[in-house]
């Protein structure tokens, strides 16, 4: 069974939507950030503070390699994880990739609510965070499915993702039947 992989900027709701979606679909839920925290034995802000961002990005690549062992799970990724050459393709090879998109202003507001847990927000102005977002968009855009989360709650987003996954499955089933 295919994994479902959620990507998107900080504040997109990957964790809360992922948890709800997994419950809806009867799947297990995992987060790459949790895999890294468990392996490193410290929190994300601590990893950034003591080892630096480059170390965290290496740990993300290792997490992507470990995801090859997963089957049928809902997986929430960290906001920067897919934003490197080759990673969008690696994620698509692991399952269906869903981009939780949204207006930058809405994402920024949501992300700032937990800014203490987000070292990428700590010393950046709003304009700098927006520049980061714009630089990352082309990577997120490579997802199989895009769902706009602006003005929606996590439950509504999870429902939209579940519908989009079902549509995609029936479209690919129909294409297979037509080709047979
Ligand atoms: C990061 C996003 C965070 C976490 C880390 C770095 C980023 O995850 O992986 O703080 O570079 O955007 P969320 O997207 O869940 O906040």
């Amino acid at each position: 069974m295919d994994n479902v992989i959620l990507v998107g900027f900080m504040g997109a709701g990957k964790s809360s939507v992922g948890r709800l979606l997994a419950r809806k679909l009867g799947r297990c839920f995992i987060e790459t950030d949790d895999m890294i925290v468990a392996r490193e034995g410290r929190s994300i802000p601590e990893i950034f503070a003591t080892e630096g961002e480059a170390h965290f990005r290496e740990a993300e690549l290792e997490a992507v390699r470990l995801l090859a062992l997963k089957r049928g799970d809902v997986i929430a990724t960290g906001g920067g994880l897919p934003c490197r050459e080759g990673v969008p393709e690696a994620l698509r090879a692991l399952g269906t990739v869903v981009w939780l998109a949204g207006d930058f202003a809405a994402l920024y507001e949501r992300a700032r609510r937990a800014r203490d847990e987000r070292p990428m927000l700590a010393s950046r102005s709003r304009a700098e965070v927006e520049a980061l977002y714009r630089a990352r968009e082309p990577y997120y855009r490579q997802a199989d499915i895009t769902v706009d989360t602006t003005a929606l709650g996590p439950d509504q987003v999870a429902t939209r993702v579940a519908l989009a996954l079902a549509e995609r499955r029936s479209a690919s089933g129909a294409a297979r039947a037509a080709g047979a």
Side-chain angles (χ1 to χ4, degrees):
M1 192 167 38
D2 236 15
N3 297 299
V4 177
I5 301 147
L6 303 179
V7 301
F9 202 61
M10 295 172 275
K14 300 176 297 286
S15 306
S16 40
V17 170
R19 201 165 290 116
L20 292 166
L21 181 68
R23 200 180 304 154
K24 255 184 220 301
L25 301 178
R27 313 267 195 107
C28 292
F29 174 61
I30 54 174
E31 302 203 54
T32 56
D33 278 352
D34 288 347
M35 292 167 69
I36 295 168
V37 166
R39 249 179 115 91
E40 302 270 328
R42 48 185 131 186
S43 72
I44 302 240
E46 280 168 343
I47 298 170
F48 270 74
T50 57
E51 315 277 347
E53 182 181 349
H55 177 84
F56 177 76
R57 299 300 171 200
E58 279 308 307
E60 286 192 314
L61 292 181
E62 178 61 16
V64 172
R65 285 191 282 274
L66 291 171
L67 289 179
L69 304 171
K70 304 292 178 190
R71 297 283 179 275
D73 290 351
V74 174
I75 301 163
T77 58
L81 180 137
C83 307
R84 294 172 74 156
E85 289 313 311
V87 177
E89 295 81 357
L91 294 181
R92 284 208 310 275
L94 296 170
T96 306
V97 181
V98 181
W99 176 23
L100 301 186
D103 290 347
F104 173 73
L107 299 174
Y108 185 67
E109 275 319 303
R110 281 195 223 131
R112 272 177 53 83
R113 281 181 219 149
R115 59 181 171 275
D116 294 346
E117 294 155 33
R118 294 191 159 111
M120 295 299 286
L121 294 183
S123 56
R124 284 185 171 80
S125 66
R126 189 185 194 280
E128 285 168 332
V129 178
E130 182 158 11
L132 182 66
Y133 173 70
R134 299 287 163 221
R136 287 176 170 184
E137 256 187 325
Y139 294 93
Y140 300 143
R141 211 178 283 291
Q142 296 177 50
D144 299 300
I145 293 172
T146 299
V147 173
D148 189 349
T149 69
T150 313
L152 298 180
D155 209 27
Q156 291 167 303
V157 177
T159 302
R160 288 195 187 191
V161 174
L163 276 173
L165 288 168
E167 274 166 20
R168 189 179 154 84
R169 218 172 305 121
S170 66
S172 70
R176 259 200 311 277

